[in-house]
Amino acid sequence: MGQLWAFIIGWNLILYLVTGEMMEWGKAWVLRSGSREGGGLGSSLIHTLLSTLCGRWITLAGKPHNFIVLSITFDSLIGNHISQALEETFSPYMPSFLATFPDFVALALLLVMIGINIFVPIFTIISGFIKGDLHNWQLTEQDYRLNTSGSSDIYSLGPLGSGGFVPFGFDGILRGAALCFYPCFAVEAVVATGREARNPQRSITLSMVISIFIGFLAYSGVSASVTLMVPYYQIHPFSPLPQAFLHVGWDPARYVMAVVFLCALLYSLLGTIFYMSQLICAMAKDGLLFRGLAQIHARTGTPVMAIMSSVNLAAIMVLLLDLRHIVELMLTGIMLAYTLATFSVLILRYQPDPKEKTGEETEMEPKAEESLLASVPEAGTSNVLKSLWFPTSTISTQKSGQIIYGCAFLLVLLLIILSVILAQWPSQVFSGDPVLTTVAVLMLLLITGVTVIIWRQPQNPSSLHFKAPALPVLPLVGTFMNVYLMMLITSGAWALFGVWNAIGSIIYFGYGIRHSLAGNNYQQPPASTSQT
């Protein structure tokens, strides 16, 4: 897609990581936001547990050296008695290419952490159904007044809504879904293993569906249990799960949850800093960011400047921004990256392969020119319109690729207009407002027409490890869902997002566009080809 799109995705991934770094200490807030604004089980599928607890075992198991270090540190605090006993017992029987003794302490720490990550969500879900009260899904205005009069914590009472199972309606569900987009952020890790899969066309699709479904069950279960234990307008804004157990009289579970959260969030914080520094370092090595950020410490081999810059950036944002804006900034940045990904799939699948433009396409060019010359007496405009519906080639060409570019950008524009209308004035549209309904229907008709034009164009027949099915409908639906959820973000977050990308644009056009190695290398092959 080119270095500009690569920079946009990388720059917004940095935003996602730096806000995610701050979010590790504020995840509990989103439970309040989703359950109060989205309301009930239908929308408060909140990311309090899954990203920090359930599912974190993959990250933990992938870093065994951390547990070895913890084992060594713990052993040193008690006088190295564990290592001495194990070494005396096992060292005579251990092969030379292995450790001098098996580290059972590190193994125990790993198993305990994995067990906690799996046990805590299950325990929360079971607890909610044991101690929960179905009346909390049928709350009335009288219940709200009683809780208001008897409450001394001003932070523990949110708006009432209309009561019932989904007190904020379908609009609340969608706004809650925008804040609950977080569990899908790591699904692209499945795609990264496509080259290793025996049947990626089946394995990747099945793996992603199963992963998202497990996340849905975990989020739904935790959300249901919390809203059964505590009325949704009484969920504590900053400590939802510990306070939920306190509300039902399970004080020991409250303290266990608090300790587990602190440990899991600390580990997740360190992991986020690591990933963000690696991304900054990679972009700096390419020249998209300042090359000084890619400096590697000579003795330790760590990207010191990238780590320091990521930590300082997070510190500045923590100092100046509200937690709600941090959450929405993170969601906007990652959803934009996902939108560009679906947009890229739509474009690249219809582009000609530059490596294969020596055989068939070269032979077809004279024929295409002859057909164009033969049709010169006809109107030039009618010839272009005809090619939209009846392409002259059965494989993707430069002309069909340009048509896809134009149609794809037009689709995005139409989707943005439709999403703004549906997000800002949903009740007016569905109640039959003459202006808004007409505009929405017109947008749908135009989107359908442009989609048919894209569908008529030939695809690139190159063999890939994995191809997204149902083109162009599936990328279109994915782009629409991402854009629509982005339109539900508040204007304040959009203003901050615009400032972030304005800074990125200054860096790219002032520095990156001239120093990027990938961009320069990308431009070199056409020049060398023309010389030969």
Side-chain angles (χ1 to χ4, degrees), residues 157-308:
L157 289 174
L160 172 64
S162 59
F165 183 68
V166 185
F168 296 96
F170 185 70
D171 182 62
I173 291 177
L174 294 177
R175 293 186 182 277
L179 293 175
C180 297
F181 198 75
Y182 187 79
C184 301
F185 289 175
V187 178
E188 67 271 9
V190 177
V191 183
T193 62
R195 293 174 181 247
E196 304 173 11
R198 294 182 180 180
N199 185 6
Q201 194 75 18
R202 177 180 180 274
S203 302
I204 292 179
T205 305
L206 191 60
S207 300
M208 294 184 70
V209 170
I210 293 175
S211 299
I212 294 175
F213 182 69
I214 292 174
F216 165 74
L217 291 180
Y219 279 50
S220 301
V222 172
S223 177
S225 65
V226 172
T227 52
L228 282 173
M229 288 191 288
V230 185
Y232 64 89
Y233 49 76
Q234 254 188 316
I235 294 176
H236 198 280
F238 305 113
S239 183
L241 289 180
Q243 292 299 321
F245 285 105
L246 177 64
H247 186 84
V248 297
W250 285 16
D251 285 5
R254 169 196 179 192
Y255 293 107
V256 171
M257 293 296 296
V259 172
V260 170
F261 266 115
L262 288 176
C263 295
L265 293 177
L266 177 60
Y267 186 89
S268 182
L269 175 66
L270 297 176
T272 304
I273 294 176
F274 170 78
Y275 291 128
M276 182 166 56
S277 64
Q278 294 297 313
L279 175 61
I280 293 175
C281 185
M283 294 181 67
K285 285 181 179 179
D286 178 77
L288 288 173
L289 295 178
F290 304 110
R291 294 195 185 277
L293 298 175
Q295 291 183 2
I296 305 296
H297 194 277
R299 185 168 58 87
T300 62
T302 55
V304 179
M305 297 302 297
I307 294 174
M308 293 300 298

Side-chain angles (χ1 to χ4, degrees), residues 405-448:
Y405 265 111
C407 291
F409 279 102
L410 180 58
L411 267 181
V412 171
L413 178 61
L414 295 174
L415 289 175
I416 290 175
I417 297 174
L418 179 62
S419 299
V420 170
I421 294 174
L422 294 179
Q424 299 300 322
W425 304 283
S427 58
Q428 292 90 324
V429 172
F430 294 105
S431 63
D433 182 271
V435 177
L436 293 175
T437 304
T438 302
V439 174
V441 172
L442 179 60
M443 293 297 105
L444 286 174
L445 293 175
L446 291 174
I447 290 171
T448 303

Side-chain angles (χ1 to χ4, degrees), residues 20-193:
E21 182 178 331
M22 296 177 286
M23 270 292 297
E24 301 302 338
W25 298 107
K27 288 174 185 275
W29 174 87
V30 182
L31 180 58
R32 172 199 63 170
S33 177
S35 52
R36 289 185 179 179
E37 297 182 7
L41 173 64
S43 60
S44 57
L45 312 178
I46 309 305
H47 71 274
T48 308
L49 281 180
L50 187 63
S51 57
T52 53
L53 299 175
C54 180
R56 187 65 68 184
W57 67 273
I58 299 176
T59 305
L60 296 173
K63 299 180 180 180
H65 59 279
N66 291 339
F67 295 94
I68 296 175
V69 172
L70 288 174
S71 173
I72 296 173
T73 304
F74 175 75
D75 188 38
S76 65
L77 292 176
I78 60 175
N80 298 318
H81 294 299
I82 297 177
S83 59
Q84 291 175 4
L86 292 175
E87 187 171 2
E88 293 174 358
T89 305
F90 292 99
S91 60
Y93 310 102
M94 298 295 291
S96 59
F97 56 87
L98 295 179
T100 56
F101 60 89
D103 196 337
F104 291 106
V105 177
L107 175 63
L109 289 172
L110 176 61
L111 294 177
V112 168
M113 186 61 70
I114 293 176
I116 290 175
N117 281 279
I118 297 176
F119 170 75
V120 170
I122 296 176
F123 174 75
T124 303
I125 294 172
I126 295 175
S127 302
F129 286 102
I130 293 175
K131 298 294 293 184
D133 183 1
L134 284 175
H135 180 69
N136 287 332
W137 287 353
Q138 302 169 351
L139 296 169
T140 63
E141 187 175 351
Q142 183 179 1
D143 296 319
Y144 184 77
R145 286 199 300 267
L146 291 175
N147 286 320
T148 303
S149 60
S151 176
S152 59
D153 187 358
I154 60 174
Y155 292 104
S156 63
L157 289 174
L160 172 64
S162 59
F165 183 68
V166 185
F168 296 96
F170 185 70
D171 182 62
I173 291 177
L174 294 177
R175 293 186 182 277
L179 293 175
C180 297
F181 198 75
Y182 187 79
C184 301
F185 289 175
V187 178
E188 67 271 9
V190 177
V191 183
T193 62

